Amino acid sequence: MRRTTASPALAIALACLAAGCGGAGDRPLPEPLPTDVPFAYHTQTQPGGDGALLEGTLELQDGCLVVLPIHDGMQDPVVPVVPVVATTWDGTTLTVNASSAAVGEEISLGGGFHARPPDGAVVPESCPPATTDRYLVVGLE
């Protein structure tokens, strides 16, 4: 029986792909991380995420940015938990990945609905506590 072995360089490249080693998709975290922002965020630095879609109106409620969904059956505000490396806020307009909206405008965000934010997420105290699946963890594109 003949055995073939991969070259050491190929083996290292495959191991890095499997382990998610740094590459072109990595984005550095801002230093320091923001502390006085009205949005919830997580620190994902590599592309990826779930495939749910949230569409609705961006609102600033009691100091917390939320989305009022336009989907049938969804009435409670949803707290988007955005990737801090792909998010900007200028006081009126939120930009996440390629989506941008001012308060009062419609926004579309992709991610996954969860009953609570992921471990390590930063959620302002002003944000409402989640009831059922009222956090949308937005993936990094």
Side-chain angles (χ1 to χ4, degrees):
M1 170 154 76
R2 181 179 169 173
R3 282 190 163 159
T4 58
T5 58
S7 72
L10 178 59
I12 291 170
L14 290 173
C16 270
L17 282 174
C21 292
D26 281 354
R27 296 190 195 178
L29 288 171
E31 290 184 27
L33 288 172
T35 56
D36 191 23
V37 292
F39 58 85
Y41 67 84
H42 60 83
T43 57
Q44 176 182 351
T45 59
Q46 291 202 352
D50 295 326
L53 176 65
L54 173 64
E55 295 178 312
T57 305
L58 184 67
E59 293 291 334
L60 186 59
Q61 293 184 350
D62 299 321
C64 180
L65 282 174
V66 298
V67 175
L68 302 177
I70 59 172
H71 302 292
D72 289 336
M74 294 182 74
Q75 297 175 4
D76 293 330
V78 175
V79 177
V81 183
V82 297
V84 70
V85 298
T87 301
T88 60
W89 168 251
D90 67 7
T92 59
T93 301
L94 179 71
T95 301
V96 181
N97 294 315
S99 293
S100 185
V103 171
E105 293 181 345
E106 287 190 12
I107 192 166
S108 294
L109 298 169
F113 290 97
H114 298 273
R116 61 178 188 255
D119 291 341
V122 175
V123 180
E125 289 182 19
S126 59
C127 289
T131 51
T132 55
D133 295 340
R134 291 298 173 217
Y135 288 97
L136 178 82
V137 179
V138 179
L140 178 62
E141 294 179 356

